[in-house]
């Protein structure tokens, strides 16, 4: 499978991590493998949503001349500077902060302990694992230094962010992609969401 031409895109959905390793051994790109819950109706719905999201993003990329992809199920992997600059709005410096998360704590407690007031929707968590993203959740992306991985550049958001990332207007389960230039953040409207240490939290002031 690794010897297929670049314009071939091979993808697979598997029921567990063992099956994912088997798919990798057969040559499926890691970004084109998605794990789904094969034992529940909800798992089927999530799998359908993941396929719709991947297909939307793939067709968008095809329109821009991309012939194939090795990151079909990984969100944000293919973000480019041209895409971001032409579709999203840069937030004014001073209207947001990026705070390193150093403990597993609820989002409201973390924001207030950092000295900022918590308002519903003001905080965006870094997409670091598979997550359900509801239709009403906003998306932001932060520039980072390709050499160090640190987020030292601008933060962008706007109504077009979901479309840019191929997210449908419905709830969908997504996985983070690996992008040297950008990190994806998802809006949270919960006060009790547990944050992941080692990530960052974007807070709108």
């Amino acid at each position: 499978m690794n010897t297929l031409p670049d314009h071939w895109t091979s993808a697979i959905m598997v029921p567990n991590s063992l099956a994912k390793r088997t798919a990798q051994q057969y040559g499926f790109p890691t970004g084109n493998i998605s794990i789904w819950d094969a034992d529940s109706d909800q798992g089927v719905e999530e799998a359908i949503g993941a396929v719709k999201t991947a297909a939307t993003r793939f067709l968008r990329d095809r329109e821009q001349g991309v012939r194939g992809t090795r990151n079909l199920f990984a969100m944000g992997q293919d973000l480019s500077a041209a895409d971001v600059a032409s579709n999203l709005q840069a937030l004014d410096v001073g209207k947001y902060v990026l705070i390193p998360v150093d403990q597993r704590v609820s989002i409201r407690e973390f924001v207030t302990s950092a000295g900022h007031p918590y308002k519903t929707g003001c905080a965006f968590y870094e997409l670091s694992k598979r997550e359900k993203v509801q239709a009403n959740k906003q998306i932001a992306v932060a520039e980072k230094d390709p050499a160090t991985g640190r987020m030292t550049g601008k933060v962008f958001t706007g109504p077009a962010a979901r479309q840019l990332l191929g997210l449908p207007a419905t709830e969908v389960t997504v996985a983070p992609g690996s992008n040297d230039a950008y990190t994806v953040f998802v809006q949270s409207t919960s006060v009790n969401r547990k944050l992941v240490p080692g990530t960052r939290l974007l807070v709108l002031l």
Side-chain angles (χ1 to χ4, degrees), residues 42-107:
Q42 182 178 353
V44 173
E45 292 178 1
E46 290 180 357
I48 292 172
V51 170
K52 286 182 178 179
T53 300
T56 299
R57 187 163 55 245
F58 180 72
L59 292 175
R60 184 206 69 199
D61 290 344
R62 286 285 294 171
E63 290 176 352
Q64 298 177 355
V66 176
R67 301 181 67 197
T69 180
R70 300 175 68 85
N71 305 298
L72 191 65
F73 293 115
M75 192 176 78
Q77 189 108 351
D78 299 321
L79 270 179
S80 68
D83 289 336
V84 171
S86 61
N87 290 279
L88 304 185
Q89 305 160 358
L91 294 175
D92 292 336
V93 176
K95 291 190 175 180
Y96 66 89
V97 290
L98 284 164
I99 310 173
V101 177
D102 57 3
Q103 56 184 313
R104 184 172 173 78
V105 65
S106 68
I107 193 167

Short mmCIF file of all heavy atoms in Angstrom, two decimals, residues 42-107:
data_model
loop_
_atom_site.label_atom_id
_atom_site.label_comp_id
_atom_site.label_asym_id
_atom_site.label_seq_id
_atom_site.Cartn_x
_atom_site.Cartn_y
_atom_site.Cartn_z
N GLN A 42 -24.84 4.80 18.65
CA GLN A 42 -24.14 6.08 18.68
C GLN A 42 -22.81 5.98 17.92
O GLN A 42 -22.42 6.91 17.22
CB GLN A 42 -23.86 6.50 20.12
CG GLN A 42 -23.16 7.86 20.24
CD GLN A 42 -22.94 8.26 21.69
OE1 GLN A 42 -23.41 7.60 22.61
NE2 GLN A 42 -22.23 9.36 21.89
N GLY A 43 -22.15 4.83 18.06
CA GLY A 43 -20.89 4.62 17.34
C GLY A 43 -21.09 4.67 15.84
O GLY A 43 -20.26 5.22 15.11
N VAL A 44 -22.20 4.09 15.37
CA VAL A 44 -22.51 4.13 13.93
C VAL A 44 -22.74 5.57 13.48
O VAL A 44 -22.24 5.99 12.43
CB VAL A 44 -23.75 3.26 13.63
CG1 VAL A 44 -24.16 3.44 12.17
CG2 VAL A 44 -23.46 1.79 13.92
N GLU A 45 -23.49 6.33 14.29
CA GLU A 45 -23.76 7.73 13.94
C GLU A 45 -22.48 8.54 13.89
O GLU A 45 -22.27 9.37 13.00
CB GLU A 45 -24.74 8.33 14.95
CG GLU A 45 -26.14 7.73 14.88
CD GLU A 45 -27.06 8.31 15.93
OE1 GLU A 45 -26.60 9.19 16.69
OE2 GLU A 45 -28.23 7.89 15.99
N GLU A 46 -21.58 8.29 14.86
CA GLU A 46 -20.31 9.01 14.89
C GLU A 46 -19.45 8.65 13.68
O GLU A 46 -18.77 9.50 13.11
CB GLU A 46 -19.55 8.71 16.18
CG GLU A 46 -20.20 9.32 17.42
CD GLU A 46 -19.43 9.01 18.68
OE1 GLU A 46 -18.41 8.27 18.59
OE2 GLU A 46 -19.80 9.50 19.76
N ALA A 47 -19.48 7.37 13.30
CA ALA A 47 -18.70 6.93 12.15
C ALA A 47 -19.21 7.59 10.87
O ALA A 47 -18.42 8.03 10.02
CB ALA A 47 -18.78 5.41 12.02
N ILE A 48 -20.54 7.68 10.74
CA ILE A 48 -21.12 8.35 9.57
C ILE A 48 -20.69 9.82 9.54
O ILE A 48 -20.32 10.36 8.49
CB ILE A 48 -22.66 8.23 9.60
CG1 ILE A 48 -23.07 6.78 9.38
CG2 ILE A 48 -23.28 9.13 8.53
CD1 ILE A 48 -24.55 6.53 9.58
N GLY A 49 -20.70 10.46 10.71
CA GLY A 49 -20.28 11.86 10.79
C GLY A 49 -18.82 12.04 10.42
O GLY A 49 -18.45 13.00 9.73
N ALA A 50 -17.97 11.11 10.88
CA ALA A 50 -16.55 11.19 10.57
C ALA A 50 -16.31 11.05 9.07
O ALA A 50 -15.47 11.75 8.49
CB ALA A 50 -15.79 10.10 11.33
N VAL A 51 -17.06 10.15 8.43
CA VAL A 51 -16.92 9.95 6.98
C VAL A 51 -17.38 11.20 6.23
O VAL A 51 -16.74 11.65 5.27
CB VAL A 51 -17.70 8.71 6.52
CG1 VAL A 51 -17.76 8.64 4.99
CG2 VAL A 51 -17.07 7.45 7.07
N LYS A 52 -18.50 11.79 6.68
CA LYS A 52 -19.00 13.01 6.03
C LYS A 52 -17.98 14.14 6.14
O LYS A 52 -17.71 14.86 5.17
CB LYS A 52 -20.32 13.44 6.67
CG LYS A 52 -21.52 12.58 6.28
CD LYS A 52 -22.79 13.12 6.94
CE LYS A 52 -24.01 12.31 6.53
NZ LYS A 52 -25.24 12.82 7.19
N THR A 53 -17.41 14.30 7.33
CA THR A 53 -16.42 15.36 7.54
C THR A 53 -15.20 15.14 6.67
O THR A 53 -14.70 16.07 6.02
CB THR A 53 -15.99 15.40 9.02
OG1 THR A 53 -17.13 15.65 9.83
CG2 THR A 53 -14.97 16.50 9.25
N ALA A 54 -14.71 13.90 6.65
CA ALA A 54 -13.52 13.59 5.85
C ALA A 54 -13.79 13.80 4.36
O ALA A 54 -12.95 14.33 3.63
CB ALA A 54 -13.09 12.14 6.10
N ALA A 55 -14.99 13.40 3.91
CA ALA A 55 -15.33 13.56 2.48
C ALA A 55 -15.43 15.03 2.10
O ALA A 55 -14.94 15.44 1.03
CB ALA A 55 -16.64 12.84 2.19
N THR A 56 -16.03 15.83 2.98
CA THR A 56 -16.14 17.27 2.71
C THR A 56 -14.77 17.90 2.58
O THR A 56 -14.50 18.67 1.65
CB THR A 56 -16.92 17.97 3.85
OG1 THR A 56 -18.24 17.43 3.91
CG2 THR A 56 -17.00 19.47 3.60
N ARG A 57 -13.89 17.58 3.52
CA ARG A 57 -12.54 18.15 3.49
C ARG A 57 -11.77 17.66 2.27
O ARG A 57 -11.04 18.43 1.62
CB ARG A 57 -11.80 17.77 4.78
CG ARG A 57 -10.45 18.44 4.94
CD ARG A 57 -9.96 18.38 6.37
NE ARG A 57 -9.91 17.03 6.88
CZ ARG A 57 -10.67 16.58 7.88
NH1 ARG A 57 -11.54 17.37 8.45
NH2 ARG A 57 -10.56 15.34 8.30
N PHE A 58 -11.93 16.40 1.92
CA PHE A 58 -11.21 15.83 0.77
C PHE A 58 -11.66 16.50 -0.53
O PHE A 58 -10.83 16.85 -1.38
CB PHE A 58 -11.45 14.32 0.70
CG PHE A 58 -10.75 13.65 -0.45
CD1 PHE A 58 -9.38 13.50 -0.43
CD2 PHE A 58 -11.47 13.19 -1.54
CE1 PHE A 58 -8.72 12.88 -1.49
CE2 PHE A 58 -10.82 12.59 -2.60
CZ PHE A 58 -9.45 12.43 -2.58
N LEU A 59 -12.98 16.68 -0.68
CA LEU A 59 -13.49 17.32 -1.90
C LEU A 59 -13.04 18.77 -1.99
O LEU A 59 -12.74 19.27 -3.08
CB LEU A 59 -15.01 17.22 -1.93
CG LEU A 59 -15.57 15.81 -2.13
CD1 LEU A 59 -17.09 15.81 -2.02
CD2 LEU A 59 -15.15 15.23 -3.48
N ARG A 60 -13.00 19.46 -0.84
CA ARG A 60 -12.50 20.83 -0.83
C ARG A 60 -11.04 20.89 -1.28
O ARG A 60 -10.64 21.73 -2.09
CB ARG A 60 -12.62 21.44 0.56
CG ARG A 60 -12.22 22.91 0.67
CD ARG A 60 -11.76 23.27 2.06
NE ARG A 60 -10.49 22.63 2.35
CZ ARG A 60 -10.00 22.44 3.56
NH1 ARG A 60 -10.72 22.77 4.61
NH2 ARG A 60 -8.83 21.86 3.74
N ASP A 61 -10.25 19.95 -0.77
CA ASP A 61 -8.84 19.91 -1.15
C ASP A 61 -8.67 19.57 -2.62
O ASP A 61 -7.77 20.08 -3.29
CB ASP A 61 -8.10 18.90 -0.28
CG ASP A 61 -7.97 19.36 1.17
OD1 ASP A 61 -8.16 20.56 1.43
OD2 ASP A 61 -7.67 18.51 2.03
N ARG A 62 -9.52 18.69 -3.14
CA ARG A 62 -9.45 18.33 -4.56
C ARG A 62 -9.71 19.56 -5.43
O ARG A 62 -9.06 19.74 -6.47
CB ARG A 62 -10.47 17.24 -4.88
CG ARG A 62 -10.10 15.86 -4.36
CD ARG A 62 -9.01 15.22 -5.18
NE ARG A 62 -9.47 14.92 -6.54
CZ ARG A 62 -8.66 14.52 -7.50
NH1 ARG A 62 -7.36 14.39 -7.28
NH2 ARG A 62 -9.13 14.27 -8.71
N GLU A 63 -10.64 20.41 -4.99
CA GLU A 63 -10.93 21.62 -5.75
C GLU A 63 -9.72 22.54 -5.81
O GLU A 63 -9.57 23.33 -6.75
CB GLU A 63 -12.11 22.36 -5.10
CG GLU A 63 -13.45 21.66 -5.27
CD GLU A 63 -14.56 22.37 -4.53
OE1 GLU A 63 -14.24 23.32 -3.77
OE2 GLU A 63 -15.73 21.99 -4.71
N GLN A 64 -8.85 22.44 -4.79
CA GLN A 64 -7.66 23.28 -4.73
C GLN A 64 -6.44 22.60 -5.36
O GLN A 64 -5.33 23.10 -5.26
CB GLN A 64 -7.37 23.66 -3.28
CG GLN A 64 -8.49 24.47 -2.64
CD GLN A 64 -8.22 24.78 -1.18
OE1 GLN A 64 -7.25 24.31 -0.61
NE2 GLN A 64 -9.09 25.58 -0.58
N GLY A 65 -6.66 21.45 -5.98
CA GLY A 65 -5.58 20.79 -6.70
C GLY A 65 -4.87 19.67 -5.97
O GLY A 65 -3.93 19.07 -6.52
N VAL A 66 -5.30 19.36 -4.73
CA VAL A 66 -4.68 18.26 -4.00
C VAL A 66 -5.14 16.94 -4.62
O VAL A 66 -6.34 16.70 -4.79
CB VAL A 66 -5.07 18.30 -2.51
CG1 VAL A 66 -4.51 17.09 -1.77
CG2 VAL A 66 -4.57 19.59 -1.88
N ARG A 67 -4.20 16.07 -4.95
CA ARG A 67 -4.55 14.83 -5.66
C ARG A 67 -4.87 13.69 -4.69
O ARG A 67 -5.68 12.82 -4.98
CB ARG A 67 -3.39 14.43 -6.57
CG ARG A 67 -3.04 15.48 -7.61
CD ARG A 67 -1.91 15.01 -8.49
NE ARG A 67 -2.30 13.91 -9.32
CZ ARG A 67 -1.44 13.10 -9.94
NH1 ARG A 67 -0.15 13.27 -9.78
NH2 ARG A 67 -1.88 12.11 -10.70
N GLY A 68 -4.23 13.67 -3.56
CA GLY A 68 -4.46 12.61 -2.58
C GLY A 68 -4.07 13.08 -1.20
O GLY A 68 -3.45 14.15 -1.04
N THR A 69 -4.43 12.32 -0.17
CA THR A 69 -4.10 12.73 1.20
C THR A 69 -3.77 11.52 2.06
O THR A 69 -4.32 10.44 1.87
CB THR A 69 -5.26 13.52 1.84
OG1 THR A 69 -4.88 13.90 3.17
CG2 THR A 69 -6.53 12.69 1.92
N ARG A 70 -2.88 11.75 3.02
CA ARG A 70 -2.55 10.73 4.01
C ARG A 70 -3.06 11.16 5.39
O ARG A 70 -2.67 10.61 6.41
CB ARG A 70 -1.03 10.52 4.06
CG ARG A 70 -0.45 10.04 2.73
CD ARG A 70 1.07 9.96 2.77
NE ARG A 70 1.54 8.91 3.65
CZ ARG A 70 1.67 7.63 3.30
NH1 ARG A 70 1.34 7.24 2.09
NH2 ARG A 70 2.11 6.73 4.16
N ASN A 71 -3.94 12.17 5.39
CA ASN A 71 -4.46 12.72 6.65
C ASN A 71 -5.98 12.91 6.57
O ASN A 71 -6.50 13.94 6.96
CB ASN A 71 -3.78 14.06 6.94
CG ASN A 71 -2.28 13.94 6.97
OD1 ASN A 71 -1.73 13.24 7.79
ND2 ASN A 71 -1.61 14.64 6.06
N LEU A 72 -6.67 11.92 6.07
CA LEU A 72 -8.09 12.05 5.79
C LEU A 72 -8.93 12.30 7.04
O LEU A 72 -9.87 13.08 7.03
CB LEU A 72 -8.59 10.79 5.07
CG LEU A 72 -9.99 10.85 4.46
CD1 LEU A 72 -10.04 11.88 3.34
CD2 LEU A 72 -10.41 9.48 3.94
N PHE A 73 -8.61 11.62 8.15
CA PHE A 73 -9.42 11.71 9.35
C PHE A 73 -8.82 12.64 10.42
O PHE A 73 -9.37 12.76 11.51
CB PHE A 73 -9.62 10.33 9.97
CG PHE A 73 -10.46 9.41 9.11
CD1 PHE A 73 -9.90 8.28 8.55
CD2 PHE A 73 -11.79 9.68 8.86
CE1 PHE A 73 -10.67 7.42 7.76
CE2 PHE A 73 -12.57 8.84 8.07
CZ PHE A 73 -11.99 7.70 7.52
N ALA A 74 -7.67 13.26 10.14
CA ALA A 74 -6.99 14.10 11.12
C ALA A 74 -7.29 15.56 10.85
O ALA A 74 -6.87 16.10 9.83
CB ALA A 74 -5.49 13.85 11.09
N MET A 75 -8.01 16.23 11.75
CA MET A 75 -8.45 17.60 11.52
C MET A 75 -7.32 18.60 11.75
O MET A 75 -6.63 18.55 12.77
CB MET A 75 -9.62 17.95 12.42
CG MET A 75 -10.30 19.25 12.02
SD MET A 75 -11.76 19.63 13.02
CE MET A 75 -11.01 20.25 14.51
N GLY A 76 -7.15 19.50 10.80
CA GLY A 76 -6.16 20.56 10.94
C GLY A 76 -4.81 20.22 10.38
O GLY A 76 -3.92 21.08 10.32
N GLN A 77 -4.63 18.99 9.92
CA GLN A 77 -3.32 18.56 9.43
C GLN A 77 -2.90 19.33 8.18
O GLN A 77 -1.73 19.63 8.00
CB GLN A 77 -3.37 17.06 9.09
CG GLN A 77 -2.02 16.44 8.77
CD GLN A 77 -1.54 15.53 9.88
OE1 GLN A 77 -2.13 15.50 10.95
NE2 GLN A 77 -0.48 14.81 9.63
N ASP A 78 -3.86 19.67 7.33
CA ASP A 78 -3.53 20.27 6.04
C ASP A 78 -3.76 21.78 6.00
O ASP A 78 -3.76 22.38 4.93
CB ASP A 78 -4.37 19.61 4.93
CG ASP A 78 -4.09 18.12 4.82
OD1 ASP A 78 -2.91 17.75 4.96
OD2 ASP A 78 -5.03 17.35 4.60
N LEU A 79 -3.96 22.42 7.16
CA LEU A 79 -4.13 23.87 7.18
C LEU A 79 -2.89 24.56 6.63
O LEU A 79 -1.77 24.21 6.99
CB LEU A 79 -4.35 24.35 8.61
CG LEU A 79 -5.78 24.43 9.14
CD1 LEU A 79 -5.76 24.92 10.58
CD2 LEU A 79 -6.65 25.33 8.29
N SER A 80 -3.09 25.54 5.76
CA SER A 80 -1.97 26.29 5.20
C SER A 80 -2.11 27.77 5.54
O SER A 80 -3.21 28.25 5.86
CB SER A 80 -1.92 26.12 3.68
OG SER A 80 -3.02 26.77 3.06
N ALA A 81 -1.01 28.50 5.43
CA ALA A 81 -1.02 29.93 5.71
C ALA A 81 -1.97 30.65 4.76
O ALA A 81 -2.66 31.59 5.15
CB ALA A 81 0.40 30.49 5.60
N ALA A 82 -2.00 30.21 3.51
CA ALA A 82 -2.88 30.85 2.52
C ALA A 82 -4.34 30.65 2.89
O ALA A 82 -5.16 31.58 2.79
CB ALA A 82 -2.60 30.28 1.13
N ASP A 83 -4.71 29.42 3.32
CA ASP A 83 -6.08 29.13 3.73
C ASP A 83 -6.49 30.02 4.90
O ASP A 83 -7.57 30.62 4.91
CB ASP A 83 -6.23 27.67 4.16
CG ASP A 83 -6.14 26.71 2.99
OD1 ASP A 83 -6.42 27.14 1.85
OD2 ASP A 83 -5.79 25.54 3.21
N VAL A 84 -5.63 30.07 5.91
CA VAL A 84 -5.95 30.82 7.13
C VAL A 84 -6.07 32.32 6.84
O VAL A 84 -7.02 32.97 7.25
CB VAL A 84 -4.88 30.56 8.21
CG1 VAL A 84 -5.09 31.49 9.40
CG2 VAL A 84 -4.94 29.11 8.67
N ALA A 85 -5.10 32.86 6.11
CA ALA A 85 -5.08 34.30 5.85
C ALA A 85 -6.28 34.76 5.02
O ALA A 85 -6.80 35.87 5.23
CB ALA A 85 -3.78 34.68 5.14
N SER A 86 -6.73 33.93 4.09
CA SER A 86 -7.80 34.34 3.20
C SER A 86 -9.20 34.05 3.74
O SER A 86 -10.18 34.60 3.23
CB SER A 86 -7.65 33.66 1.83
OG SER A 86 -7.71 32.24 1.96
N ASN A 87 -9.30 33.23 4.79
CA ASN A 87 -10.62 32.84 5.27
C ASN A 87 -10.93 33.26 6.71
O ASN A 87 -12.11 33.38 7.07
CB ASN A 87 -10.78 31.31 5.19
CG ASN A 87 -10.87 30.82 3.77
OD1 ASN A 87 -11.92 30.87 3.14
ND2 ASN A 87 -9.75 30.32 3.23
N LEU A 88 -9.90 33.47 7.53
CA LEU A 88 -10.14 33.72 8.95
C LEU A 88 -9.71 35.12 9.36
O LEU A 88 -8.99 35.81 8.63
CB LEU A 88 -9.41 32.68 9.80
CG LEU A 88 -9.74 31.21 9.49
CD1 LEU A 88 -9.04 30.29 10.48
CD2 LEU A 88 -11.24 30.98 9.51
N GLN A 89 -10.15 35.53 10.54
CA GLN A 89 -9.86 36.86 11.06
C GLN A 89 -8.89 36.75 12.23
O GLN A 89 -9.11 35.95 13.15
CB GLN A 89 -11.16 37.53 11.53
CG GLN A 89 -12.25 37.59 10.47
CD GLN A 89 -13.64 37.79 11.07
OE1 GLN A 89 -13.80 37.85 12.29
NE2 GLN A 89 -14.64 37.87 10.21
N ALA A 90 -7.84 37.55 12.21
CA ALA A 90 -6.88 37.56 13.31
C ALA A 90 -7.47 38.31 14.50
O ALA A 90 -8.01 39.41 14.34
CB ALA A 90 -5.58 38.21 12.87
N LEU A 91 -7.38 37.74 15.68
CA LEU A 91 -7.86 38.41 16.89
C LEU A 91 -6.88 39.52 17.27
O LEU A 91 -5.67 39.39 17.09
CB LEU A 91 -7.97 37.41 18.04
CG LEU A 91 -9.03 36.31 17.90
CD1 LEU A 91 -8.92 35.35 19.07
CD2 LEU A 91 -10.42 36.92 17.83
N ASP A 92 -7.40 40.60 17.79
CA ASP A 92 -6.55 41.70 18.25
C ASP A 92 -5.71 41.25 19.44
O ASP A 92 -6.24 40.62 20.38
CB ASP A 92 -7.39 42.91 18.65
CG ASP A 92 -8.09 43.56 17.46
OD1 ASP A 92 -7.60 43.38 16.34
OD2 ASP A 92 -9.13 44.21 17.68
N VAL A 93 -4.43 41.57 19.39
CA VAL A 93 -3.56 41.27 20.52
C VAL A 93 -4.07 42.03 21.75
O VAL A 93 -4.40 43.21 21.66
CB VAL A 93 -2.10 41.66 20.21
CG1 VAL A 93 -1.22 41.44 21.44
CG2 VAL A 93 -1.58 40.87 19.03
N GLY A 94 -4.14 41.38 22.87
CA GLY A 94 -4.68 42.01 24.07
C GLY A 94 -6.11 41.61 24.36
O GLY A 94 -6.62 41.89 25.45
N LYS A 95 -6.73 40.93 23.37
CA LYS A 95 -8.10 40.47 23.57
C LYS A 95 -8.18 38.98 23.85
O LYS A 95 -9.26 38.40 23.90
CB LYS A 95 -8.97 40.83 22.37
CG LYS A 95 -9.20 42.34 22.22
CD LYS A 95 -10.25 42.66 21.19
CE LYS A 95 -10.55 44.15 21.15
NZ LYS A 95 -11.59 44.48 20.14
N TYR A 96 -7.02 38.35 24.02
CA TYR A 96 -6.99 36.92 24.34
C TYR A 96 -5.67 36.59 25.04
O TYR A 96 -4.70 37.36 24.97
CB TYR A 96 -7.12 36.07 23.07
CG TYR A 96 -5.94 36.19 22.12
CD1 TYR A 96 -4.83 35.35 22.25
CD2 TYR A 96 -5.93 37.15 21.12
CE1 TYR A 96 -3.76 35.47 21.39
CE2 TYR A 96 -4.85 37.27 20.26
CZ TYR A 96 -3.76 36.42 20.39
OH TYR A 96 -2.70 36.55 19.55
N VAL A 97 -5.66 35.47 25.71
CA VAL A 97 -4.43 34.93 26.31
C VAL A 97 -4.38 33.44 26.03
O VAL A 97 -5.43 32.78 25.93
CB VAL A 97 -4.34 35.18 27.83
CG1 VAL A 97 -4.12 36.64 28.13
CG2 VAL A 97 -5.58 34.65 28.54
N LEU A 98 -3.18 32.91 25.89
CA LEU A 98 -2.95 31.47 25.77
C LEU A 98 -2.26 31.02 27.05
O LEU A 98 -1.15 31.44 27.35
CB LEU A 98 -2.09 31.16 24.55
CG LEU A 98 -2.78 31.24 23.20
CD1 LEU A 98 -1.75 31.30 22.07
CD2 LEU A 98 -3.69 30.02 23.00
N ILE A 99 -2.95 30.18 27.82
CA ILE A 99 -2.44 29.78 29.13
C ILE A 99 -2.04 28.31 29.12
O ILE A 99 -2.86 27.44 28.77
CB ILE A 99 -3.52 30.00 30.22
CG1 ILE A 99 -4.10 31.42 30.12
CG2 ILE A 99 -2.92 29.77 31.60
CD1 ILE A 99 -5.29 31.64 31.05
N PRO A 100 -0.79 27.98 29.50
CA PRO A 100 -0.39 26.57 29.59
C PRO A 100 -1.18 25.85 30.68
O PRO A 100 -1.35 26.37 31.78
CB PRO A 100 1.11 26.65 29.95
CG PRO A 100 1.53 28.03 29.59
CD PRO A 100 0.32 28.90 29.80
N VAL A 101 -1.66 24.67 30.36
CA VAL A 101 -2.42 23.87 31.33
C VAL A 101 -1.44 22.93 32.03
O VAL A 101 -0.78 22.12 31.39
CB VAL A 101 -3.53 23.06 30.63
CG1 VAL A 101 -4.26 22.18 31.64
CG2 VAL A 101 -4.49 23.98 29.91
N ASP A 102 -1.36 23.04 33.35
CA ASP A 102 -0.40 22.24 34.11
C ASP A 102 -1.06 21.26 35.07
O ASP A 102 -0.38 20.59 35.84
CB ASP A 102 0.56 23.15 34.88
CG ASP A 102 -0.18 24.11 35.82
OD1 ASP A 102 -1.42 24.02 35.90
OD2 ASP A 102 0.49 24.93 36.46
N GLN A 103 -2.38 21.18 35.03
CA GLN A 103 -3.07 20.24 35.91
C GLN A 103 -4.43 19.88 35.33
O GLN A 103 -4.98 20.60 34.50
CB GLN A 103 -3.27 20.87 37.30
CG GLN A 103 -4.00 22.21 37.26
CD GLN A 103 -4.10 22.85 38.63
OE1 GLN A 103 -4.46 22.18 39.61
NE2 GLN A 103 -3.78 24.13 38.73
N ARG A 104 -4.93 18.71 35.73
CA ARG A 104 -6.24 18.26 35.27
C ARG A 104 -7.29 18.88 36.18
O ARG A 104 -7.54 18.39 37.30
CB ARG A 104 -6.32 16.74 35.28
CG ARG A 104 -7.64 16.20 34.72
CD ARG A 104 -7.61 14.69 34.58
NE ARG A 104 -8.89 14.15 34.19
CZ ARG A 104 -9.38 14.17 32.96
NH1 ARG A 104 -8.66 14.72 31.99
NH2 ARG A 104 -10.55 13.66 32.68
N VAL A 105 -7.90 19.96 35.73
CA VAL A 105 -8.82 20.72 36.56
C VAL A 105 -9.96 21.20 35.69
O VAL A 105 -9.85 21.25 34.46
CB VAL A 105 -8.06 21.92 37.21
CG1 VAL A 105 -7.59 22.91 36.14
CG2 VAL A 105 -8.91 22.62 38.26
N SER A 106 -11.07 21.57 36.31
CA SER A 106 -12.22 22.05 35.53
C SER A 106 -11.89 23.38 34.87
O SER A 106 -11.12 24.19 35.39
CB SER A 106 -13.45 22.20 36.42
OG SER A 106 -13.28 23.25 37.35
N ILE A 107 -12.51 23.62 33.74
CA ILE A 107 -12.16 24.77 32.92
C ILE A 107 -12.48 26.09 33.62
O ILE A 107 -11.69 27.05 33.54
CB ILE A 107 -12.87 24.67 31.54
CG1 ILE A 107 -12.27 25.67 30.54
CG2 ILE A 107 -14.37 24.83 31.66
CD1 ILE A 107 -12.71 25.40 29.11
#
